[in-house]
Amino acid sequence: MIGTRLGPYEITAKLGEGGMGEVYRARDAKLGREVAIKVLPAHLAQDAEALDRFEREAKAVAALSHPNILAIFDFGREGETSYAAMELLEGETLRARLEAGALPARKALEIAALVATGLAAAHERGIVHRDLKPDNLFLTRDGQVKILDFGLARQVEPHDSKSQLLAAPTQAPGTAAGTVLGTVGYMSPEQVRGESADHRSDIFSLGVVLYEMLTGRRAFEHGSAVETMSAILKEEPPELELLAAKQSPALVRTLQHCLEKRSGERFQSARDLAFDLRSLASGGSSSSMSGRTPAAGGASSARRRLPFALAVAGALLALAAGFLLGRGATPKPAAGATALRPSFHQLTRLPGGESSPALSPDGSSVVFERAVGEQSDLYLQRTDGQNAIVLTADCDRDDIDPAFSPDGARIAYRSDCAGGGIFVMGATGENARRVSDFGFNPSWSPDGREVAVATERAKMPWNRPGKSELWAIEIDSGKKRLVTKADAMHPSWSPSGKRIAFWGLPTTTFARDLYTVTADGSQSTFDLAVRLTDDPDLDWNPVWSADGGYLFF
């Protein structure tokens, strides 16, 4: 009732209600401020164990103190009534805003970037939302975005997620309990399958919300919960091609990367997603998904980056030679030399997608990764031919990241077979054996004795599962040694054998830049590594020129 006191809070007005409780406006007599009070439903308030866990997790959310997460001030009990005191917001939910239709792309990206930033803060504390949807996103009158219901939802079923009560589905005001479409339509595939939901589930849900902001319609809406869940598992959102034509291919690729069915293929961190969304919202080209091609001979764009193009689209795999242009003045050809001009030759015409190509030292063959269904295998093809042969058909797990040895006689690669690790086989697939139980993206030393590997893998620079180290592994003995503890991806051993190039992500800047370190391990940290680039753009995947004088990336 209006006038009721719950602890120091006096109820002044009712704001809304739903299946998971009622929300009131109240005045905090101690601090003299207006707050929102959520009265928890009886089935939760009477469960001592659930209440204890809820209070613990509410404290964890309160400790975040993040501008994009609804603040929780207090949690208490008055008689039989359990309640939570929260920040009082003025504005409207994203659901209410979307009733008028789609948002402008820039506004949608700005909102999504703020949500991703808030999620990143929660994920770093081990808190997963698991019910992200327009109803749980609030647009304040001062232009801020708040994520709601991090601590005010009931536990529907056990999950392996570190967050239990803070993240379970709730019902919007006016939605009858048991009407599941409002939540089901935003679930990730793993949630639909009843599997554990981690931070990547939130990224999928944010992708669904972004799609709705851009199109004004739900991504997986069907006539029943069963049909909607089936669509989440099997279908792509409609009108993506039209959206690409209307907005930009770069934006749609970011969206698709959020909506991958397999969680390992999505953005691996909300912070990386926020970085990409902000770049798209600002109209800058720093997004690694921009897909823009520098104009040939353009001095201003040439000074900004060194293009080495590797295009992979559907069944097309093309290798592109590139210019290496410095961060200062554009290099000039030597006297009597002609300027390099990249040329392109399509190598594969297979159904499905190909990636991670590696040329043999004599240029006669290419080995590459091909995805068929949910499995990847390695294929070999002559560069002047069209018939590719599979090299790793004897294993039903993923085989990826191929690299020819300096003499062209062997191929090192990553395989998930036999427990996973780095394998070596003959150049036509014979005598495969495991040389280590870890590692990705092997790069051979010039003498063929070792390979440098990263401890983490990321196909794209915005998709980072965690910090990575570089190790060198002896091919014959399997003996390993640490090269650098600095965050390091895509190692590339120099032709001289003295240095290893990589791209990394310093925690101080979150910028993807290129570095080199000594191959002997004497430069084991970022402060000892030689930094090659220092800009806001994404610089990644370095490859040495044959003479060791330049890096393509």
Side-chain angles (χ1 to χ4, degrees), residues 34-48:
E34 298 292 306
V35 298
I37 296 289
K38 184 157 188 175
V39 177
L40 304 184
H43 69 268
L44 179 59
Q46 295 171 4
D47 185 335

Side-chain angles (χ1 to χ4, degrees), residues 68-350:
N68 298 120
I69 296 176
L70 177 70
I72 298 176
F73 299 143
D74 194 8
F75 180 85
R77 190 177 182 93
E78 188 77 22
E80 297 299 315
T81 302
S82 294
Y83 64 90
M86 309 169 294
E87 177 182 10
L88 181 65
L89 302 177
E90 300 289 345
E92 61 182 346
T93 65
L94 179 58
R95 171 68 66 214
R97 177 74 61 88
L98 289 173
E99 289 178 0
L103 303 180
R106 183 179 296 275
K107 184 63 177 177
L109 289 166
E110 289 172 352
I111 291 173
L114 291 172
V115 174
T117 302
L119 288 176
H123 293 168
E124 288 169 4
R125 294 290 188 96
I127 300 171
V128 182
H129 195 288
R130 293 184 298 162
D131 190 32
L132 204 66
K133 57 187 178 182
D135 313 75
N136 287 339
L137 299 174
F138 198 91
L139 311 180
T140 68
R141 290 179 180 174
D142 61 0
Q144 191 56 272
V145 179
K146 298 279 186 177
I147 306 173
L148 311 182
D149 272 5
F150 258 112
L152 308 176
R154 67 184 177 93
Q155 181 181 7
V156 176
E157 58 184 7
H159 285 280
D160 292 335
S161 165
K162 294 181 181 178
S163 177
Q164 301 281 336
L165 295 171
L166 299 185
T170 60
Q171 300 292 339
T175 303
T179 305
V180 295
L181 277 177
T183 294
V184 167
Y186 302 91
M187 284 182 175
S188 65
E190 54 269 27
Q191 287 176 292
V192 170
R193 289 191 295 265
E195 300 170 354
S196 61
D198 63 15
H199 63 283
R200 295 169 296 184
S201 290
D202 285 348
I203 289 173
F204 183 93
S205 299
L206 180 51
V208 177
V209 172
L210 176 57
Y211 176 90
E212 189 168 344
M213 287 193 287
L214 293 169
T215 64
R217 60 177 294 179
R218 300 192 186 191
F220 301 105
E221 185 173 31
H222 285 270
S224 70
V226 172
E227 290 173 307
T228 299
M229 289 189 287
S230 177
I232 290 172
L233 293 174
K234 300 177 182 179
E235 299 176 10
E236 297 296 328
E239 300 181 1
L240 281 179
E241 291 184 3
L242 293 177
L243 185 62
K246 181 179 178 182
Q247 304 294 348
S248 77
L251 188 158
V252 173
R253 285 192 289 272
T254 296
L255 181 60
Q256 288 175 316
H257 196 41
C258 294
L259 296 176
E260 293 285 358
K261 304 299 185 186
R262 300 172 67 180
S263 61
E265 296 176 358
R266 294 177 208 142
F267 284 93
Q268 296 297 290
S269 96
R271 191 172 300 281
D272 286 350
L273 173 57
F275 180 92
D276 213 56
L277 291 168
R278 285 194 296 268
S279 176
L280 288 168
S282 67
S285 61
S286 62
S287 169
S288 50
M289 295 207 185
S290 65
R292 298 174 180 172
T293 303
S300 61
S301 69
R303 280 192 290 267
R304 293 187 57 214
R305 67 172 58 247
L306 307 140
F308 175 65
L310 169 61
V312 182
L316 172 64
L317 183 149
L319 293 177
F323 297 117
L324 179 73
L325 303 177
R327 281 302 193 262
T330 303
K332 297 180 180 179
T338 58
L340 293 174
R341 294 187 179 277
S343 61
F344 301 85
H345 170 61
Q346 183 174 341
L347 296 177
T348 66
R349 291 175 172 82
L350 298 169

Side-chain angles (χ1 to χ4, degrees), residues 429-450:
E430 67 279 2
N431 301 323
R433 64 182 181 89
R434 189 169 74 160
V435 298
S436 77
D437 59 359
F438 73 98
F440 300 89
N441 299 113
S443 177
W444 290 82
S445 62
D447 59 12
R449 293 182 57 251
E450 296 178 293

